[in-house]
Amino acid sequence: MYKTIVVHVDDSAAMDSRLRAAAQLAGLHGAHLVGAAATGTSWSSYALLVGSMAVAPVDEFDAMCVEARKSLRHFAENARRLGVESIEERMAEDEHRRSLLLQSRYADLVVTSLDTGARDSVRGLPQYVAMHGARPVLAVPPSFSGKPIAERIVVGWDGSLQAIRAIQAALPLLARSQSVQLALINADRESGLHGDEPGADMALYLARHGVPVEVVAENTQGAPGQALADLAHDAGAGLIVAGAFGHSRYRELVLGGVTRYLLERSPLPVLLAH
């Protein structure tokens, strides 16, 4: 179960959608919800940027702290309105990615927004925390309106260690789901990782955990990430589970990374682990 969930807090337009997802999961698991906000820089880094501590405009840095605390107050108010019972506010005078990475050490799950490139968002946040942290990341699209996340789930399975870690991280949700599709995209290209019957062994593993799993194999000439998203749409899923950056940087660039596609374009929340 997820008993401690950390959600990235800021004043961006995507804050409401990621809080709805975090609150939903906190309600499912009776979890403690931690709102983590940051100023975006430390005082020493800010002073270095403007010249020196002696001439650094203290008022400007103080204003960053005030804005972060204001975002945290809104987080707490809205989380209570959504029915979350156990709430905590944490603020760090630090860069957003580094601050969230530190908070992730003491949680079961980290909730961010997708990396859509919005002007008011922190670029590269979900992939940074997934790659450098020890906890899974739930990346939520700005359009998320509260659809049940755990009722129907699509899991991207390619035999990689990253996919195994994502499945392990998602077990608290998979075991609650009414329907789980274990999706194999172009499995013949990864035949060395799948064995004689692609998907069979992982499906058996999940079934032993009480997961109602079905193996679905798809072949596509297009982007594998798009195929996975299409499968999830057709299944009426509320969540995609996938390993983060399971291929080399070269293959990600040449073939088009599934992780990159999902983090930029997924129409539903994505749970990632590296």
Side-chain angles (χ1 to χ4, degrees), residues 4 7 37 41 55 100 125 130 132 145 164 170-171 176 184-185 194 221 233 242 244 268 270:
T4 304
V7 57
T41 185
V55 300
L100 193 61
L125 183 64
H132 298 282
S145 60
I164 292 172
L171 271 179
R176 288 175 172 268
L184 288 74
I185 309 298
H194 285 298
Q221 296 301 316
H233 176 270
L268 62 155
V270 181

Side-chain angles (χ1 to χ4, degrees), residues 61 105 216 226 266:
F61 186 79
R105 297 181 180 185
V216 178
Q226 176 70 65
S266 177

Side-chain angles (χ1 to χ4, degrees), residues 41-204:
T41 185
S42 66
W43 167 245
S44 58
S45 296
Y46 181 72
L48 182 64
L49 181 65
V50 299
S52 74
M53 290 188 181
V55 300
V58 178
D59 290 348
E60 290 185 12
F61 186 79
D62 286 346
M64 297 178 191
C65 297
V66 168
E67 286 302 312
R69 293 190 182 98
K70 182 180 177 181
S71 295
L72 281 171
R73 286 198 302 272
H74 289 162
F75 151 78
E77 292 168 0
N78 290 330
R80 291 189 186 95
R81 179 177 53 80
L82 290 167
V84 181
E85 296 182 357
S86 184
I87 300 167
E88 182 179 349
E89 303 170 33
R90 293 184 186 173
M91 193 201 80
E93 295 181 3
D94 203 347
E95 193 269 332
H96 292 279
R97 297 188 302 175
R98 188 165 55 242
S99 171
L100 193 61
L101 186 64
L102 177 62
Q103 297 298 334
S104 74
R105 297 181 180 185
Y106 315 108
D108 299 302
L109 182 69
V110 181
V111 181
T112 74
S113 292
L114 293 182
D115 190 21
T116 60
R119 294 176 63 183
D120 60 353
S121 66
V122 180
R123 295 299 302 272
L125 183 64
Q127 49 267 53
Y128 182 87
V129 178
M131 285 287 290
H132 298 282
R135 306 303 187 189
V137 173
L138 181 73
V140 182
S143 59
F144 179 76
S145 60
K147 179 179 179 178
I149 291 173
E151 285 186 1
R152 298 179 181 275
I153 301 173
V154 167
V155 178
W157 173 238
D158 62 2
S160 68
L161 289 176
Q162 290 79 7
I164 292 172
R165 290 170 185 146
I167 289 170
Q168 187 68 33
L171 271 179
L173 297 175
L174 298 174
R176 288 175 172 268
S177 183
Q178 298 174 7
S179 170
V180 174
Q181 288 192 354
L182 189 68
L184 288 74
I185 309 298
N186 298 330
D188 55 322
R189 301 181 192 176
E190 306 284 354
S191 57
L193 295 176
H194 285 298
D196 294 335
E197 191 175 347
D201 289 333
M202 181 52 72
L204 182 58

